[in-house]
Amino acid sequence: MAQTITIDPVTRIEGHAKITLTLGDDGRVSDARFHVTQVRGFEKFAEGRPFYEMPSLMARICGICPVSHLVASAKACDGLLAVKVPETGANLRRLMNLGQITQSHALSFFHLSSPDFLLGMDSDPATRNVFGLAEKFPDLALAGIRLRKYGQEIIETLGGRKIHPAWIVPGGVNDPLTVEERDRILAGLPEAKDTTRLALDLFRRTAPKFADELDSFANFPSLFMSIVGKEGELEHYDGKFRVVDSDRKIVADGVAPADYADIIGEAAEEWTYLKMPYYKPLGYPYGLYRVGPLARLNTVDKCGTPEADAALHEFRAMASGSILSSFHYHTARLIEILYALEKIEELLTQTDILNTHVRAKAAPNASHGIGVSEAPRGTLIHDYEIDDDGLITKANLIIATGHNNLAMNKGVLQVAQRFVDGKNLHEGMLNRVEAVIRCYDPCLSCSTHAAGQMPMIITLVNPDGTVADSITRG
Amino acid sequence: MSKTRVATVWLDGCSGCHMSFLDLDERLLDIAPLIQLVHSPIADVKEFPENVDVALVEGAVSSDEDEEKILKIRERSKILVALGDCSVTSNVPSMRNQFEPNRMLHAIYGDGVIPLGGGPVPTLLRKSRPIHEFVNVDVYVPGCPPPADLIFDTISNLLAGQKREDAPAPKFG
């Protein structure tokens, strides 16, 4: 009879997860596994459907980052049409994507993770959530809610609704931006920037109190991957792959989106529905790499906007090479919001943004299309093949959170070895195991595009298979 | 006045309905004093508790685990709300119903190791189905996702102690 401690579900993450820890002879954790427990079959049921349905259908992979799927899917469809998207159309897609980065990062920081560092890792689980935050820090909770709302309203202003807008389409976008809409978005910028600066400042002051977490929250050497812009700048909409190592040395650069399979392989394990992507030259499982906000700030030469660049400079001063602790995903996320807000302003103050030619139209001209973009959680790849009638014959998706699968597993093991004592468990230990997962802000509805959900189960198994201790959460 | 015990659950869906709930924005702070969020993906209580007044359920029932959950939720909740199209009709999750699950998994994972359920991961049901096929549903809130205003009206009415037949009639489409 194995001893099981169940954390089910992993909470305050976007999805359902389950964790299994195995104990060694000394009562310490010897192995850890992070399980994703849902599969939905998008890659399979896309087959036989018209390619132009894909953006709207694939958006339903995820309610947090539907815009990422709209972007990557529409870009794969642009490839099938073999058209050039009008520049204004591309910039309007960018704008919606930046709105999404703002809302998704605000959600991750304020609604999901800040209860850990503002109320405390060991605080009462009954109130360790956004409502508990609102009770104790009403102004901050309100500011966070309003920042997320601002990002959502940008999406709504452009696409007519906040979640699953049908506005990004193959060849561009559905309709142009009006002066009134532009001015409405611009009017919200000052408050959004103030809130982001406040959060960044608050987190800088709070982080040092978490020395143990900083040190053990998936803090290990690894590769980092993202797409970067033409001048090595931060770029979420369009760019080429770059991979750097823990010294921030470039190991791959300028890899075209269409060649992703040259550098990324995918493995599967029977204990999780989430595939395990790895960096091909190093093989599986050694080719572990990380994606997302922290990875992007490690791969780029610069953000390309003044305030975010100043924050990046300060961020990088913490280490000589790449920033390795996953606890700093939070810091990176806030710097990215700052960048997104600056970039929104930059795009909206260009006169071209009001151009009305925002979509190129064509019939399918190619049988294979690949779309890559940087979702809030990392690099997202949609890869479609169609037949002569424009019906999908093959779809392969590599999802942002998936890239981090190996790294999340390694991170869970590291934090469990530091904090979990199998002979004497308490709730705060298990919350830390979950909190390392929250750093990655995994998007599990995305991750389970193939399958399903993740409850989090922590199983403690003695070497002889007996139960060492158990804890009931909730 | 005692607070209304509210739970939100996410079965097989995309979290869009939960996001639409969070799109209540400032209104979240208005309802916060009236409710006790006793179980939710955005809170930390792991076990679905007893004596829940209102349970909002997003997503379809697609695995043996989902089925187990929905039965427990029904047993422990006074009012069960089917939140969003996946919960109401099985929507996108049901698009896999044309395939036998194991064949679908083979198609997705290729020839290597395949998670076929059992052990640490749940087993897929033959078909993904709406929750009313398993349990009695009190209030249906359609939409992909339902707009925040509709979710707010539904919750407000339930908090005001309205009978379920007086719930606002949602518009489809």
Side-chain angles (χ1 to χ4, degrees):
Chain A
M1 152 92 189
Q3 178 212 347
T4 60
I5 292 175
T6 307
I7 300 183
D8 177 10
V10 179
T11 45
R12 287 187 290 120
I13 56 168
E14 201 272 342
H16 307 246
K18 176 163 156 173
I19 288 183
T20 310
L21 304 179
T22 306
L23 293 186
D25 289 332
D26 54 0
R28 307 303 295 178
V29 174
S30 64
D31 194 15
R33 282 178 175 180
F34 172 78
H35 312 269
V36 174
T37 60
Q38 188 191 21
V39 54
R40 283 179 292 165
F42 276 85
E43 287 157 320
K44 185 66 190 161
F45 64 62
E47 289 173 12
R49 305 195 75 85
F51 76 93
Y52 50 79
E53 278 186 8
M54 290 304 118
S56 264
L57 178 63
M58 295 300 183
R60 265 70 184 182
I61 288 173
C62 176
I64 290 191
C65 57
V67 176
S68 300
H69 292 284
L70 285 167
V71 167
S73 181
K75 284 176 75 183
C77 294
D78 299 341
L80 297 171
L81 300 176
V83 292
K84 186 174 182 311
V85 175
E87 198 183 345
T88 301
N91 280 337
L92 287 172
R93 284 179 177 181
R94 263 197 181 91
L95 201 57
M96 184 181 263
N97 202 35
L98 292 163
Q100 181 190 252
I101 284 167
T102 303
Q103 68 86 9
S104 174
H105 282 359
L107 173 86
S108 168
F109 183 81
F110 289 97
H111 300 61
L112 301 178
S113 281
S114 76
D116 283 333
F117 30 81
L118 295 174
L119 302 171
M121 294 274 178
D122 298 297
S123 64
D124 180 3
T127 53
R128 200 173 52 210
N129 59 52
V130 68
F131 291 108
L133 191 74
E135 215 160 305
K136 212 163 167 187
F137 303 100
D139 295 352
L140 185 82
L142 179 63
I145 284 170
R146 287 181 56 83
L147 180 61
R148 174 175 176 270
K149 179 184 176 183
Y150 178 67
Q152 289 286 76
E153 281 178 339
I154 291 175
I155 295 169
E156 186 177 37
T157 299
L158 294 167
R161 53 192 300 197
K162 288 178 173 176
I163 300 164
H164 306 328
W167 175 78
I168 294 179
V169 291
V173 298
N174 248 339
D175 62 345
L177 184 71
T178 64
V179 174
E180 187 266 322
E181 289 166 339
R182 180 196 63 189
D183 294 344
R184 198 174 348 135
I185 298 172
L186 282 169
L189 271 173
E191 184 194 334
K193 281 186 183 173
D194 282 346
T195 299
T196 311
R197 291 182 194 118
L198 177 92
L200 196 53
D201 184 53
L202 175 80
F203 192 68
R204 279 191 190 122
R205 284 184 286 114
T206 308
K209 296 177 192 161
F210 290 88
D212 275 357
E213 285 81 1
L214 275 165
D215 190 45
S216 65
F217 270 36
N219 183 7
F220 46 75
S222 77
L223 299 174
F224 295 92
M225 185 186 85
S226 79
I227 57 171
V228 298
K230 282 193 184 70
E231 293 167 12
E233 77 278 18
L234 186 58
E235 169 62 61
H236 298 87
Y237 172 74
D238 197 23
K240 291 187 172 165
F241 287 100
R242 177 182 285 180
V243 180
V244 303
D245 65 13
S246 14
D247 298 325
R248 237 164 32 89
K249 226 172 55 234
I250 294 175
V251 298
D253 204 12
V255 178
D259 300 329
Y260 77 89
D262 293 351
I263 55 169
I264 300 167
E266 288 188 281
E269 295 281 2
E270 62 199 358
W271 45 267
T272 178
Y273 279 130
L274 184 56
K275 288 181 189 173
M276 302 265 184
Y278 58 94
Y279 180 63
K280 259 189 183 162
L282 293 184
Y284 178 78
Y286 303 103
L288 175 156
Y289 59 92
R290 286 184 265 181
V291 299
L294 180 66
R296 289 189 287 256
L297 294 196
N298 282 329
T299 55
V300 298
D301 299 326
K302 59 182 181 192
C303 291
T305 59
E307 229 178 308
D309 274 331
L312 178 66
H313 185 73
E314 196 176 326
F315 183 65
R316 285 196 170 158
M318 292 189 295
S320 56
S322 293
I323 304 294
L324 300 178
S325 172
S326 293
F327 200 68
H328 281 303
Y329 264 94
H330 297 305
T331 322
R333 219 164 264 132
L334 293 169
I335 294 172
E336 278 205 322
I337 301 178
L338 208 49
Y339 160 84
L341 297 170
E342 289 184 289
K343 200 76 191 169
I344 287 165
E345 186 163 30
E346 191 182 299
L347 287 168
L348 285 175
T349 44
Q350 294 172 357
T351 45
D352 296 357
I353 202 72
L354 298 172
N355 281 1
T356 52
H357 182 50
V358 293
R359 183 177 181 181
K361 293 186 175 164
N365 288 305
S367 59
H368 191 186
I370 293 173
V372 177
S373 78
E374 284 291 327
R377 289 153 191 80
T379 317
L380 172 65
I381 302 167
H382 281 233
D383 179 348
Y384 307 150
E385 290 173 34
I386 51 173
D387 62 16
D388 291 346
D389 300 320
L391 302 178
I392 298 278
T393 54
K394 190 165 173 286
N396 187 40
L397 314 175
I398 301 184
I399 302 293
T401 292
H403 295 290
N404 283 331
N405 200 0
L406 281 169
M408 286 191 294
N409 272 284
K410 191 167 172 171
V412 165
L413 177 60
Q414 185 182 39
V415 80
Q417 287 179 326
R418 169 70 66 95
F419 289 103
V420 176
D421 173 357
K423 296 190 170 119
N424 174 24
L425 271 174
H426 62 82
E427 197 274 344
M429 290 177 183
L430 301 183
N431 186 42
R432 282 178 178 80
V433 174
E434 290 180 88
V436 72
I437 297 290
R438 281 180 211 121
C439 289
Y440 289 99
D441 187 28
C443 182
L444 298 170
S445 38
C446 277
S447 317
T448 58
H449 62 284
Q453 313 184 60
M454 319 194 348
M456 178 158 174
I457 296 186
I458 293 201
T459 310
L460 286 178
V461 186
N462 277 336
D464 61 358
T466 56
V467 175
D469 186 10
S470 68
I471 183 168
T472 311
R473 312 194 75 201
Chain B
M1 193 184 124
S2 67
K3 291 186 175 186
T4 305
R5 291 167 56 84
V6 176
T8 78
V9 182
W10 171 15
L11 302 174
D12 194 15
C14 78
S15 82
C17 299
H18 273 76
M19 292 306 112
S20 201
F21 169 72
L22 290 179
D23 283 338
L24 264 56
D25 299 324
E26 291 94 336
R27 289 177 290 183
L28 286 171
L29 302 176
D30 299 336
I31 62 167
L34 307 175
I35 66 167
Q36 191 187 354
L37 191 66
V38 291
H39 179 78
S40 170
I42 61 162
D44 271 357
V45 176
K46 305 294 174 187
E47 180 62 18
F48 193 90
E50 302 279 354
N51 303 319
V52 171
D53 294 316
V54 178
L56 304 164
V57 181
E58 168 183 349
V61 177
S62 297
S63 69
D64 55 355
E65 188 178 79
D66 294 337
E67 184 174 2
E68 208 175 295
K69 279 185 188 164
I70 196 68
L71 296 175
K72 187 186 276 185
I73 292 162
R74 176 67 278 182
E75 192 185 310
R76 298 181 174 187
S77 310
K78 286 197 192 69
I79 294 177
L80 179 61
V81 181
L83 182 66
D85 286 345
C86 294
S87 183
V88 174
T89 69
S90 188
N91 194 25
V92 172
S94 70
M95 290 172 81
R96 72 158 172 90
N97 292 357
Q98 57 191 310
F99 310 109
E100 195 278 317
N102 281 359
R103 287 179 60 186
M104 178 183 87
L105 292 173
H106 278 276
I108 293 169
Y109 293 96
D111 308 326
V113 179
I114 300 174
L116 290 175
V121 288
T123 305
L124 292 179
L125 301 177
R126 171 60 190 85
K127 289 186 174 175
S128 175
R129 291 150 61 199
I131 62 177
H132 69 80
E133 291 193 24
F134 296 84
V135 294
N136 184 36
V137 171
D138 298 307
V139 181
Y140 292 93
V141 184
C144 181
D149 288 348
L150 178 60
I151 297 175
F152 181 70
D153 289 346
T154 305
I155 293 175
S156 301
N157 284 309
L158 291 169
L159 289 177
Q162 280 206 331
K163 294 193 197 67
R164 65 168 192 254
E165 48 269 28
D166 299 333
K171 290 199 298 288
F172 283 82

